[in-house]
Amino acid sequence: QVQLVESGGGSVQTGGSLRLSCETTADPYCMAWFRQAPGMEREWVGTGEGDGRTQYADFVKGRFTVSRHSRKLYLQMSSLKPEDTGMYFCAARFAPCPNIRTMTSSAFAFWGQGTQVTVSS
């Protein structure tokens, strides 16, 4: 059973920064960050593959950076906004990352418990 553990969440003010980390017990081909605000569907943030390739959702707009180092995935977030508030989840799959057009949570079999990010105005 693959385990993923997120850390690094917290509360910051608008414009602040946070760095999330995800550590896994395996070495999946594709790791991803998703987030979910209260009452909203889970949405994709970005992915990182073992070869260093990354993909980002449009709303990231240069504010977030995904990096992958072996069994760890990071999400560096800057210029945070209140709308970035939510639970951030790490996910993994033992296959190449899906095309952006098919990037859904159902494409990932393994998930962490999430880490809360709260951005206040």
Side-chain angles (χ1 to χ4, degrees), residues 13-77:
Q13 293 188 328
T14 297
S17 299
L18 282 173
R19 188 187 193 217
L20 307 184
S21 300
C22 172
E23 186 166 5
T24 177
T25 55
D27 192 11
Y29 201 106
C30 174
M31 296 180 71
W33 287 105
F34 283 78
R35 70 183 187 182
Q36 188 167 21
M40 303 292 286
E41 292 189 355
R42 195 167 294 189
E43 65 175 347
W44 171 63
V45 176
T47 55
E49 292 186 292
D51 60 3
R53 286 183 293 179
T54 56
Q55 299 180 89
Y56 296 95
D58 287 343
F59 69 81
V60 169
K61 295 180 180 179
R63 299 186 299 123
F64 296 179
T65 301
V66 173
S67 57
R68 171 84 183 269
H69 300 284
S70 186
R71 299 184 179 190
K72 293 185 178 180
L73 184 72
Y74 302 96
L75 181 64
Q76 177 67 49
M77 303 185 293

